[in-house]
Amino acid sequence: MFGYAVLMGDIRVTGADGKTFDGVRKVAGISNSIAGGFAGNIYQGLSILEHLTAMTKLPDQQAWKSEFLIENLPTEMRRVFEGTKEKAGGENARVEIMLVGVDPVKNVPQDTPWPLPYCYIFRSPYFSPEKVEIGKVDSIGSGSSIDAYVEELENLSNPRQAGQLMQLEVGNPGGFGQVLSHIIGGVAGRQTATDVSPHLITCVIKRNDMTQYDNNRSQATIANNWEELLQLAGEQGFSSDEAKAFIA
């Protein structure tokens, strides 16, 4: 929408015993004009995003065509998933990946200067790509089962609501993404569900550019990788084996 894509995620960690704490980044840039996020097993989600980041690295001002990514990345996701499954809980392990990006050459509509954004969801164990239509707001993970989130996402996907939000782009490119973070963060802050945090990190992806916003609602220390999360888990009283069962 509006020539860019928006990806956001909270930072809540849930242990096998139901104990929760805030402390892991679930969304991040993985390549030029592409960002990824995960839900489900945190060990596997971080492993998959780390692998995708390494294999899609490009020089500045270059970007992958979405068709190439959708054709090739599911195989890589399955390989990492199978390689980490035993440590993450065996057959009970699951993970979902969401990739958003902006095509390096295509615009939409074709006679406008707006780059073509795209979004796909991949779910274990097969990671078949599920396309999210342009203009629709979708989700993975715990928020997908909370009525208030679902209702708000449906409202934000409504063409009339989208048309009103379009006014936020006038003189303020990326304004829609900033307001989206504020709206979803507000919904999270009003929930009693313990597995979703109101602390959100938002990535706004444009052609050859990405901006990140952190609403910093919990002021928690945030782990950006598995090693940092293990350290936080130890401070919360979890062993490294228990940490591998963490879910997002």
Side-chain angles (χ1 to χ4, degrees):
M1 184 178 287
F2 314 121
Y4 62 89
V6 179
L7 179 66
M8 66 176 64
D10 75 331
I11 64 169
R12 184 62 48 88
V13 177
T14 302
D17 61 355
K19 181 181 178 181
T20 65
F21 66 94
D22 282 350
V24 67
R25 176 187 293 271
K26 304 175 188 177
V27 298
I30 63 170
S31 188
N32 300 343
S33 303
I34 308 171
F38 68 86
N41 184 273
I42 293 177
Y43 175 60
Q44 293 183 296
L46 288 173
S47 296
I48 290 174
L49 291 191
E50 181 179 351
H51 179 69
L52 297 184
T53 300
M55 70 166 292
T56 59
K57 186 174 179 60
L58 286 173
D60 291 344
Q61 306 305 312
Q62 294 185 25
W64 296 99
K65 291 184 178 180
S66 58
E67 297 92 336
F68 176 85
L69 294 174
I70 301 315
E71 180 179 350
N72 291 279
L73 293 190
T75 300
E76 298 299 323
M77 295 180 195
R78 287 194 296 272
R79 180 178 295 122
V80 177
F81 176 75
E82 291 297 330
T84 56
K85 186 165 62 174
E86 184 175 351
K87 291 183 178 180
E91 295 303 320
N92 293 323
R94 66 169 185 84
V95 68
E96 299 171 301
I97 303 294
M98 180 178 281
L99 292 183
V100 303
V102 175
D103 192 274
V105 294
K106 296 178 182 178
N107 290 350
V108 59
Q110 293 184 357
D111 58 349
T112 72
W114 287 353
L116 173 66
Y118 58 86
C119 176
Y120 288 87
I121 295 172
F122 308 81
R123 307 179 201 271
S124 62
Y126 303 112
F127 296 95
S128 300
E130 303 170 19
K131 184 177 181 180
V132 178
E133 296 301 325
I134 294 175
K136 182 181 179 181
V137 182
D138 212 333
S139 65
I140 57 177
S142 301
S144 302
S145 62
I146 299 176
D147 291 342
Y149 282 106
V150 174
E151 181 179 353
E152 193 59 62
L153 294 177
E154 290 176 347
N155 289 337
L156 292 167
S157 297
N158 184 290
R160 179 177 298 179
Q161 176 80 335
Q164 295 174 347
L165 291 173
M166 186 182 295
Q167 300 175 26
L168 300 170
E169 293 293 306
V170 178
N172 182 33
F176 172 77
Q178 297 175 45
V179 171
L180 185 64
S181 176
H182 177 75
I183 292 173
I184 299 300
V187 174
R190 295 191 295 271
Q191 298 308 304
T192 58
T194 60
D195 50 357
V196 179
S197 171
H199 187 148
L200 301 178
I201 297 174
T202 303
C203 300
V204 177
I205 304 93
K206 303 178 182 179
R207 187 173 284 166
N208 298 316
D209 182 60
M210 186 184 78
T211 303
Q212 296 190 60
Y213 303 97
D214 186 334
N215 69 8
N216 201 29
R217 291 208 176 185
S218 69
Q219 298 184 339
T221 300
I222 301 175
N224 296 298
N225 54 52
W226 181 246
E227 289 71 24
E228 292 177 359
L229 182 58
L230 280 179
Q231 181 175 346
L232 290 179
E235 295 171 359
Q236 296 289 330
F238 293 96
S239 69
S240 59
D241 287 338
E242 289 174 323
K244 288 179 179 174
F246 283 165
I247 60 173

